[in-house]
Amino acid sequence: MKVTDVICHVLQSKVEQPFTSARGWLYTTRASCIVEIRTDEGITGWGECYGPAAVNRTIIETQYRSRVIGRDPFDVEVVWEDLYNRIKDYGLTGMTIAALSGIDIALWDIIGRALGKPIHKLIGGAHRTEVQAYATGLYFVDMDRLVEEAVEEAQEYAEQGFRAIKMKIGLGDPKLDLRRVKAVRETIGPDVKLAVDANHCFTVPQAIRLGRAMEEHDILWFEEPISPEDHDGYVEVTRALDMAVAGGENDFTRWGFRDVIARKAMDIVQPDVCAAGGISECRKIAAIASAHGVECVPHAWGSAIGLAATVQFLAALPDTPPAFRPMPPMLEFEQTPNPLRDQLAKDPIVQRQGIVRVPDGPGLGIEIDHAILNQYKVA
Ligand SMILES: [Mg+2]
């Protein structure tokens, strides 16, 4: 089998109720670069790149596309090394790797479709056939109702059956953050897990101080307390707090994660399959994490394709550590309204009582709705 074409689709949808996080970007649109790879056997695979879609598309079209056409999709890691070698001299991190991730996922989708097997059966097998999902939400929308809106949204997720929720913090006022976290914890009760995500807005002393104050609210993990470049700072925060510290959604490749993991700068690493190098590379990152006793719980924030790829990867992740009643890695199921996530697959991934069934169809286990693809395509 040979690749005959690599096509990028830039999809974009409008966000009806713009929201922000501690980063301060106002999300008014959601966009994704979707990668379609065609073959001479009529099998088509789909992938997705995290981050600025127009940049991903340019990198693929100018740097990668011609090197993928003519290749055998089963040589997926050979292709990965070749593409990486093409760009490594010019800056390694970020968007070039996200673009490579989209190609890698699409090639795995093709392999699965060719063999009639879901991807997780090709990368080690099913450690689980369903995953527990946590709801990511509780962004900042109405600046006059920051506590009230968080309480209402958390209540909705609990009523929908989610057993775990991740909320945003980082309001520029630790007392307000604490008030919001306390209100959410009181609303959802002691049995729903609660993680917090600061999107790297704190200094080391700020993060340690707020982290200690949040500990009484039984926080599952403190995500991105400080800037991702500051590995020494992560070591300090992680050692200082009893709660788990997480991060890694903006780290890339096995080399990017190697030092973070080996130094145990975080308790939980969160590679994104659409950003950190695709399924091939995230398996390597997970293996490094496993060797160091660090948990790997992938980040996910994209369309139905990225979500499906994440579920396939998660299904094949071993429990860390294995146990009589293990605490398996959870699926990040982002809940802000996004038609690219909810409508792009004819058979979308859904949660029931906080549980997501791992699709067992070939490849990613989803079928793309071409009408939706065309409806949201802007380039
Ligand atoms: Mg995050």
Side-chain angles (χ1 to χ4, degrees):
M1 183 164 37
K2 285 201 172 5
V3 170
T4 54
D5 207 354
V6 179
I7 302 159
C8 292
H9 307 272
V10 174
L11 308 190
Q12 184 174 295
S13 72
K14 192 169 175 296
V15 172
E16 295 301 334
Q17 204 172 31
F19 57 90
T20 191
S21 70
R23 269 182 297 228
W25 312 338
L26 191 65
Y27 289 92
T28 55
T29 57
R30 294 294 298 268
S32 280
C33 176
I34 302 300
V35 182
E36 175 184 3
I37 298 186
R38 296 182 181 166
T39 65
D40 61 354
E41 293 187 12
I43 297 172
T44 296
W46 297 88
E48 178 173 359
C49 317
Y50 179 71
V55 180
N56 292 327
R57 180 187 180 190
T58 300
I59 293 167
I60 289 174
E61 290 183 347
T62 63
Q63 306 303 311
Y64 296 156
R65 181 171 177 270
S66 64
R67 300 184 81 86
V68 178
I69 291 173
R71 305 297 290 264
D72 179 348
F74 281 82
D75 287 335
V76 54
E77 296 198 31
V78 182
V79 172
W80 197 102
E81 297 292 338
D82 178 59
L83 299 184
Y84 183 74
N85 192 45
R86 175 68 189 82
I87 49 91
K88 71 183 282 184
D89 287 41
Y90 307 109
L92 300 177
T93 56
M95 291 181 263
T96 52
I97 305 301
L100 177 44
S101 303
I103 290 173
D104 183 83
I105 292 166
L107 292 176
W108 277 108
D109 191 28
I110 292 169
I111 296 170
R113 287 170 191 275
L115 297 174
K117 295 281 185 192
I119 291 169
H120 69 269
K121 290 286 187 186
L122 310 173
I123 58 171
H127 281 279
R128 54 196 68 83
T129 56
E130 52 186 38
V131 292
Q132 191 184 93
Y134 72 86
T136 286
L138 284 73
Y139 285 80
F140 316 140
V141 181
D142 181 345
M143 300 308 147
D144 297 324
R145 299 184 69 252
L146 285 165
V147 175
E148 295 87 341
E149 70 180 13
V151 163
E152 290 159 9
E153 193 178 334
Q155 179 80 43
E156 274 174 43
Y157 297 143
E159 282 166 8
Q160 286 171 27
F162 278 106
R163 309 307 297 158
I165 295 170
K166 185 168 82 187
M167 67 182 291
K168 295 292 175 180
I169 62 169
L171 289 163
D173 174 359
K175 289 197 176 75
L176 179 55
D177 276 327
L178 266 178
R179 198 146 59 81
R180 203 162 170 267
V181 169
K182 181 171 186 276
V184 168
R185 169 52 82 201
E186 283 170 356
T187 300
I188 61 178
D191 296 333
V192 177
K193 297 182 179 114
L194 179 62
V196 298
D197 185 356
N199 291 97
H200 51 72
C201 73
F202 296 120
T203 63
V204 168
Q206 286 165 350
I208 292 173
R209 193 166 178 196
L210 180 59
R212 284 184 182 145
M214 288 191 298
E215 257 158 13
E216 65 172 300
H217 303 304
D218 191 15
I219 302 302
L220 182 64
W221 71 65
F222 189 171
E223 181 167 321
E224 290 206 289
I226 63 166
S227 200
E229 303 90 345
D230 184 8
H231 294 174
D232 289 334
Y234 267 95
V235 173
E236 285 187 65
V237 176
T238 299
R239 292 292 169 276
L241 296 179
D242 288 343
M243 68 176 68
V245 170
E249 69 187 72
N250 29 41
D251 286 307
F252 306 88
T253 77
R254 75 200 83 151
W255 301 285
F257 278 88
R258 174 184 56 193
D259 297 331
V260 175
I261 294 169
R263 297 181 65 195
K264 293 188 182 250
M266 300 160 187
D267 301 294
I268 300 167
V269 287
Q270 301 170 301
D272 187 314
V273 292
C274 299
I279 287 169
S280 301
E281 197 65 3
C282 283
R283 292 175 71 203
K284 297 179 174 80
I285 294 164
I288 299 172
S290 170
H292 290 83
V294 169
E295 277 185 86
C296 179
V297 183
H299 172 264
W301 213 78
S303 80
I305 294 170
L307 185 62
T310 306
V311 172
Q312 293 293 336
F313 174 60
L314 260 175
L317 269 185
D319 296 316
T320 307
F324 167 50
R325 287 176 176 165
M327 287 182 272
M330 288 193 291
L331 170 68
E332 174 160 26
F333 204 163
E334 186 250 321
Q335 295 293 304
T336 59
N338 183 1
L340 307 182
R341 181 194 61 230
D342 296 338
Q343 297 173 26
L344 187 58
K346 289 179 185 165
D347 38 3
I349 287 172
V350 293
Q351 66 86 21
R352 289 199 175 79
Q353 295 303 306
I355 301 293
V356 166
R357 191 185 63 79
V358 177
D360 53 11
L364 292 169
I366 55 168
E367 295 300 327
I368 299 304
D369 187 329
H370 289 261
I372 296 292
L373 184 82
N374 292 326
Q375 182 183 335
Y376 290 100
K377 183 166 165 140
V378 292

